[in-house]
Amino acid sequence: MKDMKFEYPLEGGDFIKAGYASSSLKKILNQLNLDPDLVRRIAVATYEAEVNVVAHAFRGIMKVLVSPERILIRVEDEGPGIPDIGKAMQEGYSTASDRVREMGFGAGMGLSNIKKNTDKLEIHSELNKGTVLEMTTLIKG
Amino acid sequence: MKIAEIVSIANGKVICGEEQLNTDLTHAFSSDLLSDVLTINRTGILLITGVANLQTIRTAEMAEVSCILLVRNKRANQEMIDLARDNSLVIIESPISMFSASGRLYQHGIQPLY
Ligand SMILES: Nc1ncnc2c1ncn2[C@@H]1O[C@H](COP(=O)(O)OP(=O)(O)OP(=O)(O)O)[C@@H](O)[C@H]1O
Ligand SMILES: [Mg+2]
């Protein structure tokens, strides 16, 4: 299998399109004969990251690199940034708006759920600029 | 339990996925928090919820939920139905409450996740 790259744009505030990128990626991964549980974990993690951009940032992009040993996903956004990443990682911590909560989100569980569903999670954030999430999932042969 | 039986126990109406009424489900999870649904560790379950929007369907797609029971007269709109069909998801609408649906189904042997 050769390396494959995919990119999906993300739009802040758009709860109609939210999930489209993760869904498209999931469909591709399902065709690659990967372990179904691995595909599900990646789908959940990317969806959490995608919803975070929609809920908390202005716009972003999801960049995916599929190689034989690992799947690397970078979700970069332009947005307010995360002032305290340690705090944001805690389950229950959320700054989600009422609108986001009415949709069924905002429990403060997304980032820790991404961590649970990937092999490695790195978060970089700059205040008033944006946030970059890098998640790695290893493909065990 | 067959999805058809879930429909009848919940006094529900099948909105899409009629072709799957014979599918057997063993476990259910009740929540109005999609964040919570995304943390479940089992696929092919019944989701009992009062949250009816497009992201309910997206969440079910990612978490690989098989069937969504919308309680207390929450309605699925056309976008939700289209997306559910794309993902072979069953949607049931029911007039009874989440507590009541959960209680009745539990009594009939549907098991909790946790
Ligand atoms: N891309 C982002 N840009 C800015 N802030 C973010 C971003 N992602 C997360 N955060 C901040 O971190 C907090 C925790 O994020 P997390 O995903 O864990 O929970 P949530 O999005 O609030 O709720 P949930 O994911 O359970 O629906 C958010 O409330 C927000 O303050
Ligand atoms: Mg989140």
Side-chain angles (χ1 to χ4, degrees):
Chain A
M1 187 172 77
K2 277 204 200 129
D3 284 4
M4 284 181 286
K5 284 184 184 176
F6 308 98
E7 283 193 7
Y8 304 95
L10 309 172
E11 200 52 54
D14 190 342
F15 273 102
I16 300 293
K17 268 208 295 209
Y20 182 80
S22 308
S23 172
S24 308
L25 177 64
K26 188 178 191 207
K27 290 190 177 96
I28 291 173
L29 295 180
N30 266 326
Q31 290 172 354
L32 297 180
N33 265 327
L34 295 163
D35 170 26
D37 180 61
L38 179 144
V39 174
R40 180 180 184 261
R41 283 190 284 121
I42 291 176
V44 168
T46 54
Y47 180 60
E48 291 277 18
E50 187 177 355
V51 171
N52 274 357
V53 173
V54 175
H56 307 298
F58 310 139
R59 67 190 65 80
I61 186 159
M62 186 190 295
K63 296 180 179 171
V64 183
L65 174 65
V66 182
S67 58
E69 311 80 34
R70 66 177 62 78
I71 297 173
L72 192 72
I73 298 163
R74 265 175 85 90
V75 179
E76 310 170 356
D77 71 53
E78 293 167 36
I82 304 176
D84 184 340
I85 292 174
K87 210 164 157 189
M89 285 296 302
Q90 285 171 18
E91 284 189 8
Y93 176 83
S94 175
T95 61
S97 65
D98 287 348
R99 174 168 173 254
V100 169
R101 286 172 202 272
E102 271 163 30
M103 306 275 315
F105 296 109
M109 287 161 67
L111 289 175
S112 61
N113 200 28
I114 294 173
K115 199 170 166 64
K116 273 182 217 147
N117 281 288
T118 54
D119 292 305
K120 191 170 151 209
L121 169 65
E122 274 182 51
I123 306 176
H124 303 278
S125 195
E126 207 175 318
L127 229 50
N128 299 317
K129 273 199 103 169
T131 300
V132 179
L133 251 68
E134 195 168 277
M135 15 185 174
T136 310
T137 302
L138 303 175
I139 302 172
K140 284 143 199 123
Chain B
M1 178 187 295
K2 302 231 181 296
I3 293 179
E5 205 179 327
I6 294 174
V7 176
S8 114
I9 290 170
N11 291 340
K13 190 173 125 204
V14 182
I15 304 304
C16 65
E18 299 80 0
E19 67 290 347
Q20 292 176 70
L21 291 182
N22 261 325
T23 303
D24 258 306
L25 299 184
T26 56
H27 288 75
F29 186 69
S30 302
S31 182
D32 277 349
L33 264 180
L34 299 180
S35 319
D36 231 2
V37 179
L38 287 165
T39 66
I40 60 177
N41 55 9
R42 180 187 279 268
T43 60
I45 67 151
L46 167 72
L47 171 63
I48 303 169
T49 186
V51 174
N53 64 60
L54 200 52
Q55 296 311 316
T56 312
I57 314 296
R58 284 290 184 207
T59 295
E61 175 191 358
M62 302 310 157
E64 293 172 17
V65 162
S66 292
C67 178
I68 300 172
L69 176 62
L70 297 176
V71 291
R72 281 291 276 163
N73 291 314
K74 299 299 183 302
R75 296 275 184 254
N77 63 26
Q78 194 56 48
E79 286 84 25
M80 291 169 65
I81 296 169
D82 292 343
L83 189 61
R85 281 196 209 284
D86 280 352
N87 290 286
S88 314
L89 262 159
V90 184
I91 301 181
I92 306 165
E93 289 175 353
S94 161
I96 67 177
S97 69
M98 186 191 285
F99 181 75
S100 185
S102 305
R104 288 187 200 180
L105 290 166
Y106 183 87
Q107 215 166 24
H108 282 81
I110 292 282
Q111 294 166 60
L113 285 188
Y114 304 101

